[in-house]
Amino acid sequence: MGYISIKDIFERLGVFIEKNTIPILAIVFILILVSFTGAQQIEMGTGTDMFVAKESHLYQDFDLLYRQYFGTAAIAIMVEGGDVTTPEVLFAIDRLQTGVSGTKDVVEVMDIASMVKQTNLGVSGRSRIPNDGSAIRVLIDTIPEKQRGIVLPDTRHTAVFVTMPARATDDEMEKVLSNVEEMVEWAAFPAGYNTVVTGEPAFGIAMKNEMNSSMGPILLIASLLMVVVLFIAFRHARWQLLPLPIVLIGIIWTFGATGFLGIPLSMVSISAFPILIGLGIDYAIQFHNRIEEEFTRSDDAKRAVTETVRHTAPAVLIALIITGLGFVSLFTSTVPMIQDFGLLCLVGIICCFLSALFIGIAVIYALHRRGIGKDRKQRNNRTVSKNNKADSAAERFFGSLAVWAAKNPLPVLGVAGLLCLGGLYADTCVGIQTDVKKFVPSDMPSLIDMHHMVEVLGGTDQLNVIVKADDVTDPAVIGWMDRFSAHEVELHPYISTGESIAGPVKAANHGELPEDAAQVDAIIQTIPESTRDRYIYGHTTALLNLGIGNAVSGLGLPRIERLIRLVEDDIRWMPPPPGVTVTITGQSVVMTTVIAALTTGRQLMTLVGLVLILGGLFLLYRDWLKAIVPVLTMTLVIGWSGGVMYLLGMDYTPMTATLGALILGVGSEYAVMMMERYFEERENGLVPIDAIRESTGKIGVAILASGCTTLAGFSALIASPFSMNRNFGIVTVIDVLLALLASFFVFPVLIVWLDGVREKRRARKAAKIPEPDLTKQPNQTGKGIAG
């Protein structure tokens, strides 16, 4: 059996496409319908598990020790606009509490009206709200200030907290939120009072809705930009807008695959779709351009299809593999949303490649056979001379540019190297940002409401300290929690409160902690169940909350991480009783793992991308020179990118953390395209300097057009309402431009220099090999040379 090359395999595939055009289009239609089914299964991800892997130790502590036992999520209803202690306002709050408390998944409703009724029950024996304002104020004054201050910071603002278990699903929380909004209307607050429904669950749901609503406009902008690019860069072809619907079908398939594979859409992964439009349309253009070229060369349409698939599919496949290896490196990140972004991009480029290969060629072949576009082809033929003149000018420009760079290696590499080193240094000074509230539109109503709630009530960020013991109600354990929390509040300015079961026990015992275990048990039984469950679970687990206000947004995660280390040191300095274990957890603690992911993890992703692409190119070409030159070229761009981030004053986010791997994958394609053409000219007998002139001149326009499609896809992200995606769009547009500059300036220097070095080495080796003695005859068997 003879050797079958990759081109032979694709030639057979071309024959298959030519003979099965109608069945292929029928299958495409079925896949589109199936994709719509899959797209309906897509879920939006906005929670902590988008930042931190569920398998990590910190997340396991957070989920199993805190969320399962004590974790809650609260919807806050802010009431303001006048004196909120009047009977009319309290009656409305009471109606709201009555309407909401019976809702499924509502654990507790905390409000000033309920506190007034409870206090009145103890004073008068009647659980009701007095009709007299002065009587209400007297009852409010008797409520402990610490308890009252949670819902009544002043007489002009009050809050109603509707508490749900943290383990409730997004759908369950959304149903509770919808019911709360209906009950706020039904409660009929007096005229002149304003009610605002806010809190983390309301913010999360609003953010999901914003993500959903922003995706359509961004895809539309990306499509319109592609129309402009196709009109400018693809004007010579018939059906010049056809690549756009071809790639959009690939995007539809990607949506379907996303649902079937269970890839959640986050603020990071939604950015994949405009990027895929930019990358995928380049694949469609390559096939479209080649088949049009084949139609011009020959009247045999069948041969045009097979030749197109034979020669173009392997080249486009190589580009896909290189780009895909860049996306594969994102799997090394510990941030799930970055991994999802990499997987979505990988699936997307495969879908777009298959769409361009099968649909693009089948449709163009069908249109050509039916004679559609003949008039356009004739008009194109009449303008060939004009295009040739323009192409000749472009060839001369790009060829001269490459020759100038190749003849001035020291200035080019010197400037490029210095900028790279400066950029790598500046990169160490770039900050990181993980606060979700900094990523969303600043004018988003739910964000404004959240900020207002924090201004009025203070922040609700906490460090959750889980205490495990044989009996957490032991007076020694409760005493330690009381002393430790007081010590932390006194020692650390950013820790404002310390709450545990010790607080309610002291409140029920005249401010003192009992020393007798039986007395402690008796007091705990008198504490309301909702309060008791907030701090202890059975007899083995207790919760100590250290309130840090709005520190996550105010301090940032790096300082929060240092604060956590200080608290851990304090635990070692003030240890709990023997047999007691203490674990610091909570959302703030879990999120600190993202710091490593955006620093050393980001560098690891880039390094893995370098190794994967270098190894992939070597396996494809079996030539170290062809493997190393594209990677070296794009490595310089990675350094420049760090300088761009620093100069623009941007922080690294889960989105911009992917830049290094992304530029390696996308940018290396340009260098590979130039390298392929360079060695084609070398095989034609040209010396390196002439080969770089000819190759860059002939392929320069094509690379520029390819870069424009990628730029158009990335630039659509600049219109995103989310600052994280918008900043990513800005930086990647600049980085793609830098990748094009490196391809036209740095690549010619490296390829000519290293190719020349290799040629000289080969020449020296050849000079050392003695000429064969042609006078010697073969031996009698004819199987060797006689010695």
Side-chain angles (χ1 to χ4, degrees), residues 304-324:
V305 171
T306 56
E307 286 296 302
T308 297
V309 178
R310 174 182 172 84
H311 293 287
T312 306
V316 176
L317 182 61
I318 289 174
L320 181 146
I321 291 171
I322 294 168
T323 306

Side-chain angles (χ1 to χ4, degrees), residues 294-304 365 368 377:
E294 293 296 334
F295 285 147
T296 303
R297 288 178 182 174
S298 172
D299 293 331
D300 188 348
K302 294 180 180 181
R303 179 174 175 78
Y365 178 56
H368 180 78
K377 186 176 181 181

Side-chain angles (χ1 to χ4, degrees), residues 25 95 419 464 583 679 728 780:
L25 296 180
R95 289 192 294 271
L419 288 176
N464 307 119
T583 303
F679 280 105
F728 175 75
Q780 293 180 352

Side-chain angles (χ1 to χ4, degrees), residues 17-128:
I17 293 173
E18 185 274 323
K19 290 183 177 180
N20 297 276
T21 302
I22 301 301
I24 287 173
L25 296 180
I27 293 172
V28 166
F29 181 73
I30 293 171
L31 288 176
I32 290 173
L33 295 179
V34 172
S35 296
F36 282 123
T37 304
Q40 294 174 0
Q41 301 177 28
I42 295 176
E43 295 183 354
M44 305 298 291
T46 58
T48 305
D49 55 352
M50 288 289 97
F51 288 88
V52 184
K54 292 182 178 181
E55 299 77 18
S56 67
H57 175 68
L58 278 177
Y59 188 89
Q60 290 292 314
D61 286 344
F62 172 64
D63 188 49
L64 299 178
L65 296 180
Y66 173 70
R67 279 177 29 124
Q68 295 297 325
Y69 297 153
F70 307 106
T72 58
I75 297 171
I77 302 99
M78 298 284 297
V79 183
E80 56 192 3
D83 187 355
V84 294
T85 62
T86 62
E88 293 79 12
V89 174
L90 293 193
F91 287 144
I93 292 175
D94 190 47
R95 289 192 294 271
L96 174 62
Q97 190 272 343
T98 302
V100 171
S101 58
T103 305
K104 183 184 177 183
D105 297 312
V106 172
V107 175
E108 179 187 15
V109 180
M110 184 184 297
D111 60 273
I112 190 63
S114 298
M115 292 180 184
V116 168
K117 289 169 67 177
Q118 185 67 29
T119 305
N120 197 21
L121 177 65
V123 173
S124 65
R126 292 178 294 180
S127 178
R128 68 178 185 85

Side-chain angles (χ1 to χ4, degrees), residues 235-236 380-381 383-393:
R235 63 184 184 275
H236 60 279
N380 286 347
N381 290 337
T383 59
V384 164
S385 60
K386 293 181 180 179
N387 289 338
N388 285 342
K389 290 180 180 178
D391 290 343
S392 297

Side-chain angles (χ1 to χ4, degrees), residues 117-364:
K117 289 169 67 177
Q118 185 67 29
T119 305
N120 197 21
L121 177 65
V123 173
S124 65
R126 292 178 294 180
S127 178
R128 68 178 185 85
I129 299 170
N131 292 317
D132 179 51
S134 59
I136 290 174
R137 284 189 288 275
V138 170
L139 292 172
I140 288 175
D141 289 340
T142 61
I143 301 172
E145 183 179 355
K146 191 173 182 179
Q147 181 183 1
R148 182 183 70 224
I150 296 173
V151 295
L152 190 71
D154 55 63
T155 58
R156 298 185 65 82
H157 300 88
T158 187
V160 179
F161 292 101
V162 180
T163 306
M164 300 170 286
R167 58 182 176 273
T169 65
D170 291 343
D171 289 340
E172 290 169 342
M173 289 189 181
E174 194 162 358
K175 289 177 182 177
V176 172
L177 177 63
S178 178
N179 186 63
V180 166
E181 291 172 339
E182 290 178 6
M183 289 298 104
V184 168
E185 295 295 326
W186 176 79
F189 282 87
Y193 286 87
N194 184 39
T195 56
V196 177
V197 180
T198 183
E200 290 290 346
F203 172 75
I205 291 167
M207 185 167 64
K208 280 187 179 180
N209 295 334
E210 184 72 22
M211 286 164 58
N212 277 325
S213 62
S214 67
M215 190 183 304
I218 291 175
L219 290 177
L220 178 61
I221 291 171
S223 300
L224 292 175
L225 288 171
M226 290 304 163
V227 170
V228 174
V229 170
L230 290 172
F231 265 119
I232 296 173
F234 207 45
R235 63 184 184 275
H236 60 279
R238 295 178 294 172
W239 319 298
Q240 64 191 109
L241 296 182
L242 183 60
L244 183 57
I246 297 299
V247 76
L248 289 178
I249 291 174
I251 297 297
I252 292 172
W253 290 352
T254 305
F255 270 108
T258 300
F260 288 127
L261 294 173
I263 305 173
L265 286 186
S266 63
M267 280 188 290
V268 172
S269 55
I270 60 173
S271 299
F273 294 103
I275 293 172
L276 290 173
I277 291 177
L279 295 175
I281 210 163
D282 188 30
Y283 302 156
I285 287 175
Q286 297 293 338
F287 284 109
H288 192 145
N289 203 46
R290 182 59 185 252
I291 197 169
E292 283 281 73
E293 184 180 329
E294 293 296 334
F295 285 147
T296 303
R297 288 178 182 174
S298 172
D299 293 331
D300 188 348
K302 294 180 180 181
R303 179 174 175 78
V305 171
T306 56
E307 286 296 302
T308 297
V309 178
R310 174 182 172 84
H311 293 287
T312 306
V316 176
L317 182 61
I318 289 174
L320 181 146
I321 291 171
I322 294 168
T323 306
L325 289 173
F327 292 140
V328 167
S329 68
L330 301 182
F331 297 163
T332 62
S333 173
T334 58
V335 179
M337 67 167 68
I338 293 179
Q339 297 174 2
D340 293 336
F341 174 71
L343 179 57
L344 184 54
C345 287
L346 188 61
V347 171
I349 59 174
I350 293 172
C351 289
C352 290
F353 172 77
L354 295 176
S355 177
L357 174 60
F358 287 96
I359 307 174
I361 291 178
V363 169
I364 294 173

